[in-house]
Amino acid sequence: MHMVSLGKSGPKVSAIGLGCMGMSGMYGPSDRAESIATIHAALDAGITLLDSGDFYGMGHNEMLIGEALKGRNRDQVQLSVKFGAVRDPAGAWLGYDASPKAVRNFLAYTLQRLGVEYIDVYRPSRLDPDVPIEETIGAIADMVKAGYVRHIGLSEVGSETIRRAAAVHPISDLQIEYSLISRGVEDEILPVCRELGIAVTAYGVLSRGLISGHWQKDAARGGDFRAMSPRFQEGNVERNLALVEALRRIAEARGVTVAQIAIAWVAAQGDDIVPLVGARRRDRLAEALGAQAVQLDADDISAIESAVPKGAAAGARYPEAQLVHMDSERPK
Ligand SMILES: NC(=O)c1ccc[n+]([C@@H]2O[C@H](COP(=O)([O-])OP(=O)(O)OC[C@H]3O[C@@H](n4cnc5c(N)ncnc54)[C@H](OP(=O)(O)O)[C@@H]3O)[C@@H](O)[C@H]2O)c1
């Protein structure tokens, strides 16, 4: 596994990371034993970066990762954890809290659930509209000084917030959606990250399964984010799956899969971009890892981008109610 530096201030991590969210209910039910086997298979294959959020299954995801790490060398793994989303016992989303007091509280519980003494990259999942980013980053910086956190990251924030955060403490990476059908980051956010030496940990590289080549219309069941996501809705999903078929023709001509082409395209955007794949089964993970062998030259990239032109996706990447709270989507 190729290793890369996560920005100019961050740790060395595997060039592909494993996102564990789907193992804790966000995409409907998942199999606990298979989830743990998938984490083990990822570590055995050389993946060192595991991404989680304390709100994924209200602590479930961290406890799952903690269990998977038992008997493993914790220091060879980089744990990336998001915090700030506030939920109730039924799982309802109540908003965000990234105040300094909340930072310390969330972190204390995260360390216990994961069974570790420090977090490699700790990040607010969204900008808290009531708390200046300087206060949130300052509070995490105190936790860095105290030894509980090694590096500070960001998630789904825009260029102005990135600059303000980086003025308080070095930022290792911005976690943000980036795929063939979600390229908004290219216009302003990615250039600012590059200027400041901040890496991008890209999520949704398969657009949550939509451009994996395996998605079947109407496959999302209750409790699955995709049941509410605009791109998966009737009228949009057919148009998006037509893009996937165009991609499939390119993949088949090369003897690889659609998912491998989609992941390889993100990886080809630069050494400072680390795709987080959301596999929750070992077969999906093996397919995703196969993307490492797919080298794309300029002709390949242009063929892929002709099959799936920038902006071709039908539907927004989040429901409107969530988009309005995303700093990364705020009109300039
Ligand atoms: N910062 C943020 O706001 C944010 C938001 C979302 C996610 N994330 C992080 O990013 C990670 C990845 O995001 P994502 O879940 O959207 O990722 P993704 O890789 O775009 O989609 C993952 C889904 O694609 C399907 N899939 C089909 N073939 C696959 C293959 N070969 N490899 C992997 N998945 C395949 C799987 O669905 P089935 O299992 O249903 O087949 C899987 O659940 C998350 O786990 C989370 O850690 C961060």
Side-chain angles (χ1 to χ4, degrees):
M1 171 71 67
H2 180 51
M3 300 290 286
V4 293
S5 289
L6 207 53
K8 67 178 183 204
S9 71
K12 271 220 176 311
V13 299
S14 51
I16 293 181
L18 180 68
C20 301
M21 177 184 81
M23 299 173 183
S24 297
M26 299 290 282
Y27 295 147
S30 38
D31 183 295
R32 185 179 182 84
E34 183 60 28
S35 294
I36 289 178
T38 303
I39 295 172
H40 286 163
L43 298 176
D44 293 343
I47 286 185
T48 64
L49 176 64
L50 301 181
D51 184 69
S52 184
D54 60 10
F55 46 89
Y56 293 162
M58 290 85 78
H60 176 277
N61 203 241
E62 292 177 326
M63 290 190 284
L64 185 84
I65 294 172
E67 190 178 331
L69 288 181
K70 283 198 185 116
R72 299 276 171 158
N73 186 342
R74 186 262 171 273
D75 292 331
Q76 286 177 359
V77 176
Q78 294 84 45
L79 295 170
S80 154
V81 178
K82 295 178 291 299
F83 69 90
V86 180
R87 306 188 69 178
D88 78 4
W93 300 89
L94 305 179
Y96 289 92
D97 189 350
S99 63
K101 190 159 80 173
V103 167
R104 294 197 296 278
N105 176 71
F106 282 135
L107 178 60
Y109 285 78
T110 280
L111 292 169
Q112 287 298 320
R113 284 188 293 253
L114 281 165
V116 298
E117 290 174 351
Y118 65 93
I119 301 301
D120 296 271
V121 187
Y122 200 50
R123 70 184 84 238
S125 61
R126 296 286 181 269
L127 179 67
D128 181 338
D130 300 324
V131 179
I133 191 67
E134 289 82 356
E135 286 184 22
T136 302
I137 300 299
I140 309 175
D142 288 343
M143 297 296 95
V144 173
K145 278 193 214 111
Y148 297 119
V149 169
R150 295 263 164 100
H151 305 278
I152 304 180
L154 294 167
S155 169
E156 285 291 357
V157 290
S159 50
E160 190 194 321
T161 303
I162 297 168
R163 287 189 191 284
R164 286 172 54 183
V168 176
H169 189 278
I171 302 296
S172 57
D173 66 299
L174 168 71
Q175 194 172 107
I176 196 159
E177 186 165 0
Y178 190 21
S179 74
L180 267 168
I181 64 168
S182 297
R183 295 179 59 181
V185 64
E186 292 173 354
D187 301 336
E188 191 180 326
I189 293 175
L190 186 53
V192 168
C193 287
R194 287 186 163 149
E195 178 195 324
L196 299 175
I198 296 171
V200 164
T201 37
Y203 75 83
V205 292
L206 298 177
S207 198
R208 302 167 183 274
L210 180 60
I211 59 165
S212 66
H214 302 295
W215 187 258
Q216 303 286 329
K217 193 169 169 269
D218 301 327
R221 297 180 301 275
D224 187 327
F225 168 87
R226 298 171 292 196
M228 300 161 309
S229 169
R231 289 186 175 166
F232 290 82
Q233 303 311 306
E234 185 86 33
N236 288 339
V237 71
E238 300 81 356
R239 286 164 59 195
N240 293 328
L241 289 178
L243 298 172
V244 174
E245 290 318 304
L247 211 50
R248 196 185 303 280
R249 286 190 281 279
I250 294 175
E252 283 178 356
R254 281 196 64 146
V256 300
T257 70
V258 175
Q260 288 167 344
I261 287 281
I263 297 167
W265 179 87
V266 174
Q269 303 311 308
D271 247 10
D272 56 346
I273 315 256
V274 175
L276 292 175
V277 297
R280 52 183 176 168
R281 292 176 6 200
R282 282 168 289 180
D283 57 344
R284 299 288 202 228
L285 173 73
E287 181 185 30
L289 288 169
Q292 292 173 101
V294 182
Q295 295 301 324
L296 302 176
D297 63 21
D299 289 344
D300 297 325
I301 298 276
S302 97
I304 291 167
E305 293 179 1
S306 303
V308 184
K310 188 169 179 173
R317 63 192 183 97
Y318 276 88
E320 184 57 26
Q322 293 178 38
L323 277 180
V324 292
H325 297 298
M326 290 167 64
D327 188 59
S328 49
E329 293 285 333
R330 189 159 298 156
K332 292 286 161 304

